[in-house]
Amino acid sequence: MDIDVFTLFPAAFDWFQRQHHVASALAGGHTISYVNYRDHTPLKAGQVDDTPFGGGAGMVLRVDVVEAAIRARYARDPMGLRRERTVIPLTPAGRLLDDALVDELAARDVLTLLAGRYEGFDQRVLDNFVTMELSIGRYVLAGGELPAMVLCDAVMRKLPGALGHADSVVEESFSKALEGAPEYPHYTRPAEYRGWAVPEILLSGDHARIRQWRREQSHARSQRPQTERPLP
Ligand code: ADE
């Protein structure tokens, strides 16, 4: 998979690229490349944004700046780009990212992610250049870099070979194998700690019963809302 990230802050991804599953995906031939809007702006003094028409707070990433960066990278009109690549701007109001969407995107060969800053993109970018807007949750972050990393992280760990243990992405929270439910609880040594014992069944060695218990736990968790725990 080849991912291009358009951003004003490519250095923000330095730490991310060093994470084990990302580094192994990259070593295995997948790529993440960065395009800095500022390197291609047609405006003076590296300008990339402007004040909103109609007034209001914040600055808006300009459509001509986004177009220039896309043209510099792909040598084509950004209006047709989505015929060849999946073009995704990160926006708070976009389609909410979930496991099914991660699977869908992990199956594509080429992604173009557009990270915005400030108040976001001029609407004409969203109306004319993109495949779908994507959100990582209904709250507003200062920019699209963290959401782009969240998306790359979730997608790249699904690529074959990225994780040490291939089964970990098959039966995990929200996967088809668990019918979209959260994962069952995990325990490791010590088998007893401060009087808190690991469920007997997990020590029984009876794999059929363990599988059944895990399915039940996973289902029960999906029925139980996460609320603040009462104090002991
Ligand atoms: N940009 C700012 N906030 C965002 C969010 N919640 N999801 C995706 N992109 C964003």
Side-chain angles (χ1 to χ4, degrees):
M1 161 174 276
D2 293 319
I3 304 177
D4 287 346
V5 182
F6 287 65
T7 170
L8 289 167
F9 300 99
F13 293 80
D14 289 351
W15 168 85
F16 173 70
Q17 292 225 135
R18 290 196 301 272
Q19 300 316 293
H20 182 71
H21 66 292
V22 181
S24 21
L26 297 180
H30 301 288
T31 65
I32 310 182
S33 310
Y34 302 94
V35 179
N36 189 336
Y37 299 108
R38 216 180 290 283
D39 292 343
H40 305 288
T41 178
L43 307 174
K44 285 199 292 278
Q47 184 187 348
V48 292
D49 58 345
D50 228 317
T51 52
F53 283 126
M59 299 292 274
V60 177
L61 202 55
R62 288 175 53 134
V63 61
D64 49 353
V65 168
V66 176
E67 168 150 356
I70 291 177
R71 281 187 184 273
R73 177 71 177 163
Y74 305 114
R76 61 151 25 262
D77 186 333
M79 277 197 67
L81 184 61
R82 64 180 189 270
R83 287 184 211 287
E84 293 162 18
R85 304 181 65 90
T86 302
V87 183
I88 298 180
L90 288 311
T91 66
R95 177 170 162 191
L96 278 177
L97 185 62
D98 61 10
D99 188 69
L101 182 52
V102 172
D103 277 340
E104 202 180 308
L105 295 176
R108 304 196 183 196
D109 291 333
V110 286
L111 298 182
T112 294
L113 308 183
L114 305 178
R117 278 266 144 181
Y118 322 114
E119 284 306 294
F121 300 93
D122 185 300
Q123 184 60 35
R124 290 165 291 186
V125 171
L126 308 177
D127 289 345
N128 298 295
F129 298 165
V130 315
T131 311
M132 76 173 108
E133 295 175 46
L134 189 147
S135 170
I136 63 160
R138 294 290 183 246
Y139 44 82
V140 180
L141 299 170
E145 284 73 21
L146 287 171
M149 280 183 243
V150 167
L151 173 59
C152 290
D153 186 296
V155 165
M156 295 188 94
R157 63 187 290 287
K158 300 249 190 186
L159 300 176
L163 296 182
H165 200 293
D167 287 349
S168 16
V169 296
V170 175
E171 196 173 274
E172 65 181 356
S173 287
F174 320 117
S175 60
K176 279 198 214 71
L178 294 180
E179 294 167 6
E183 205 171 0
Y184 43 79
H186 298 283
Y187 296 88
T188 186
R189 279 171 281 278
E192 181 157 331
Y193 184 71
R194 295 184 59 181
W196 305 321
V198 169
E200 267 308 315
I201 186 161
L202 296 178
L203 310 175
S204 70
D206 183 338
H207 293 290
R209 280 184 57 226
I210 291 173
R211 245 194 319 278
Q212 175 63 21
W213 180 86
R214 284 179 165 166
R215 261 198 301 274
E216 287 163 11
Q217 292 288 315
S218 168
H219 179 73
R221 277 187 164 183
S222 71
Q223 307 297 308
R224 202 183 321 128
Q226 281 285 356
T227 51
E228 187 170 330
R229 271 102 165 134
L231 289 170

